[in-house]
Amino acid sequence: MKSKVTEHLTQVKIFIGEVVSLVSTKNIVPHLHSVTKELRSERKKQQPCVLWFTGLSGSGKSTISSAVELKLYQRGHHTYLLDGDNVRHGINKDLAFSDEDRIENIRRIGELAKLFTDAGIIVLTAFISPFRADRRLVRQLFGDGEFIEVHMDTPLDECERRDSKGLYKKARAGEIKSFTGIDSNYELPEAAEITVKTAELGIEACADQIIDYLIANQLIGAARV
Amino acid sequence: MKSKVTEHLTQVKIFIGEVVSLVSTKNIVPHLHSVTKELRSERKKQQPCVLWFTGLSGSGKSTISSAVELKLYQRGHHTYLLDGDNVRHGINKDLAFSDEDRIENIRRIGELAKLFTDAGIIVLTAFISPFRADRRLVRQLFGDGEFIEVHMDTPLDECERRDSKGLYKKARAGEIKSFTGIDSNYELPEAAEITVKTAELGIEACADQIIDYLIANQLIGAARV
């Protein structure tokens, strides 16, 4: 690992030398991203990847992703969680809830996740993301093994029973239109990397299932870093 | 520092206890971002902030920001550089070059930078960002001292002489319209935190000027971490 870093730094130094030479002789200023994804992930002892949580409202995406993030932090890893709170009111605040805007919402979240993995970070995203085509498009942004679809496989009746935000009640009353699971379809993942049964397991066990996946796939080590 | 971390982790544990209790008694699943900006920046021994490079095409934004990023990496810091390469072709690829789209481009870059600082990272952005109003809007997204405007104060004739991408030549020939400095205005920063004279100083000295600012303002320490 270390020799790769040294090698890269040598290349960067050569490049900077070339830049200085070009600037002084030809006034040409090229550039490159000197600090790469590989350098960052080596230093962090983690493989950047995205844990893409998908599932109905109330299926446990936010709760479980937060629990996983905390566990990763405690193990010494660097993560970032993208969810409605920090995305919908910020970078995507120009988007509404039309079909077109929903697709654009997911596209941008995919690009965001990509930038964060490029920064060496393990990204968690918590969005319903109900359509296969959208999830497939996002998956295509990533390299092999980097995109991990985490299906929160919680039955609709359980989600509706929880109804933590009172949204199902509103949807049933017709106050919210195009609500996933009620009058808009949730397309089940065909081959999610991880399927989490939140109605059968507690929060801790669900989070551990995801941590175990990361360890088994050598995205993080088994020990604290 | 450590006691703040311990205190926060205690709060998180209490919160998780509450979640478990709520889920089992009332089926309510609230959530919070368990790993905060403060926790991340304490672990990293750096204050997340954004170095917002602004200046004409050819003024040295990419070259100097890359050099600064490399220096920060070598000092043990975690950075990310946003520029045309990773933003324009990705998250902002739906945008063209109309006035409206240029404003939206800068707005989203500001929001992106905010997410990265929230993740504990020192962000560098390298975009012409010619308009004061846009830069002011971005500044308002950040807390005191977090937004550092870095003005690449390179005279137009020097930028045009470098013309590393051949863009000035095309703009003068009328092949590119609304080119900043030629037929579109660059509004000089009124109170940039850092003003860099690339026509007078070499790359190393320019980069060191910015590193010195970060140290003087206690955003990073004077020693390697």
Side-chain angles (χ1 to χ4, degrees), chain A residues 133-202:
Chain A
D134 300 345
R135 296 193 300 260
R136 197 179 305 126
L137 274 181
V138 173
R139 182 184 285 272
Q140 286 165 359
L141 296 175
F142 295 89
D144 274 357
E146 276 187 337
F147 181 84
I148 301 153
E149 200 167 333
V150 184
H151 178 210
M152 302 308 286
D153 190 12
T154 311
L156 175 61
D157 57 358
E158 170 67 13
C159 296
E160 193 164 357
R161 200 170 60 81
R162 292 176 186 170
D163 204 9
S164 53
K165 298 174 189 163
L167 298 175
Y168 283 96
K169 205 176 160 193
K170 286 184 182 170
R172 290 288 183 196
E175 292 166 35
I176 305 175
K177 298 288 177 197
S178 299
F179 193 81
T180 304
I182 306 299
D183 55 348
S184 184
N185 201 17
Y186 178 79
E187 297 176 356
L188 287 170
E190 287 169 314
E193 277 75 7
I194 308 176
T195 301
V196 183
K197 306 265 186 194
T198 69
E200 297 170 20
L201 296 174

Side-chain angles (χ1 to χ4, degrees), chain A residues 37-87:
Chain A
K37 185 176 182 175
E38 288 68 31
L39 278 180
R40 277 190 265 261
S41 67
E42 279 176 11
R43 181 177 279 175
K44 293 184 167 298
K45 312 257 185 277
Q46 66 187 32
Q47 283 297 319
C49 57
V50 54
L51 288 163
W52 187 277
F53 289 77
T54 171
L56 297 168
S57 178
S59 63
K61 298 181 299 297
S62 292
T63 303
I64 306 301
S65 60
S66 285
V68 170
E69 185 174 44
L70 184 60
K71 279 177 187 281
L72 287 170
Y73 177 81
Q74 288 168 334
R75 298 172 79 94
H77 291 293
H78 190 181
T79 58
Y80 195 62
L81 172 59
L82 296 168
D83 64 13
D85 291 340
N86 56 20
V87 169

Side-chain angles (χ1 to χ4, degrees), chain A residues 29 33 40 63 80 83 118, chain B residues 29 33 63 73 79-80 83 118:
Chain A
V29 186
H33 278 207
R40 277 190 265 261
T63 303
Y80 195 62
D83 64 13
D118 191 42
Chain B
V29 187
H33 279 206
T63 304
Y73 176 82
T79 57
Y80 196 62
D83 63 13
D118 191 42

